[in-house]
């Protein structure tokens, strides 16, 4: 018997954990070359998977809805790398954070960048945190707070 109860949208994760779960869904969709919405639906229906709360779902849907624009913005500010050539984790950390910076103003930009750097530290290469920080800082200066 499965001891884990089916997840409901009322499940509440810390914001950090929600971002990590959102990143896992984005990573899975990217690696499998699947539609993000389809991957989200499958993961949400899987009662044996770790839970996704409303914030995580909102982030995943937001990235899915704006992926072309996010990749274009990231590409403008990523030095020496195209978005497609980036490590998969870095690409999706940047997509997630760029979505929050551009479309989810409830979170202060410094928090968004710190969270992205922490995800890169935990899940990617040794060089990734510095690179993620640099790209997101450039996006913040040019796209979110021009002239600031």
């Amino acid at each position: 018997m499965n001891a884990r109860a089916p997840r409901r949208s009322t499940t509440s994760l810390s914001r950090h954990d929600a971002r990590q779960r959102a990143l896992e869904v984005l990573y899975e969709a990217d690696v499998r070359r699947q539609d993000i919405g389809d991957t989200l639906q499958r993961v949400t229906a899987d009662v044996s998977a770790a839970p996704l709360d409303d914030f995580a779902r909102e982030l995943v849907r937001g990235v899915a809805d704006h992926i072309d624009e996010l990749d274009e913005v990231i590409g403008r500010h990523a030095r020496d790398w195209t978005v497609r050539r980036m490590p998969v984790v870095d690409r999706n950390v940047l997509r997630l954070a760029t979505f929050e910076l551009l479309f989810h103003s409830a979170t202060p930009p410094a928090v968004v960048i710190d969270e992205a750097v922490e995800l890169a530290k935990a899940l990617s290469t040794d060089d990734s945190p510095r690179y993620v920080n640099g790209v997101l800082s450039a996006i913040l200066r040019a796209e979110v707070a021009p002239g600031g």
Side-chain angles (χ1 to χ4, degrees):
M1 179 171 162
N2 187 347
R4 188 181 293 226
R7 290 178 324 284
R8 305 200 192 310
S9 64
T10 57
T11 301
S12 183
L13 302 172
S14 73
R15 291 289 175 135
H16 176 79
D17 290 341
R19 285 182 183 95
Q20 185 165 338
R21 286 295 294 130
L23 176 60
E24 291 167 1
V25 173
L26 295 172
Y27 178 89
E28 181 177 331
D30 199 352
V31 167
R32 292 182 177 202
R33 297 176 191 232
Q34 294 177 338
D35 178 76
I36 295 170
D38 292 345
T39 302
L40 176 61
Q41 185 176 15
R42 186 187 51 70
V43 168
T44 301
D46 183 355
V47 295
S48 67
L52 281 171
D53 71 354
D54 291 339
F55 182 60
R57 291 171 210 227
E58 180 182 347
L59 294 174
V60 172
R61 286 185 189 115
V63 170
D65 291 346
H66 297 281
I67 194 158
D68 292 334
E69 183 178 357
L70 297 172
D71 284 356
E72 195 259 314
V73 169
I74 293 164
R76 277 199 311 264
H77 299 284
R79 294 183 313 178
D80 302 325
W81 287 92
T82 64
V83 174
R84 293 303 319 153
R85 284 193 58 232
M86 290 176 183
V88 178
V89 171
D90 296 1
R91 176 171 52 241
N92 287 289
V93 165
L94 287 167
R95 285 172 173 163
L96 187 62
T98 302
F99 169 74
E100 280 197 84
L101 289 172
L102 298 179
F103 300 102
H104 197 274
S105 61
T107 306
V111 173
V112 171
I113 293 172
D114 287 346
E115 285 284 324
V117 168
E118 287 303 313
L119 287 170
K121 278 182 189 175
L123 302 170
S124 198
T125 70
D126 290 341
D127 295 328
S128 293
R130 186 175 61 242
Y131 186 76
V132 164
N133 185 58
V135 173
L136 293 175
S137 294
I139 291 170
L140 177 62
R141 283 190 306 274
E143 309 286 336
V144 179

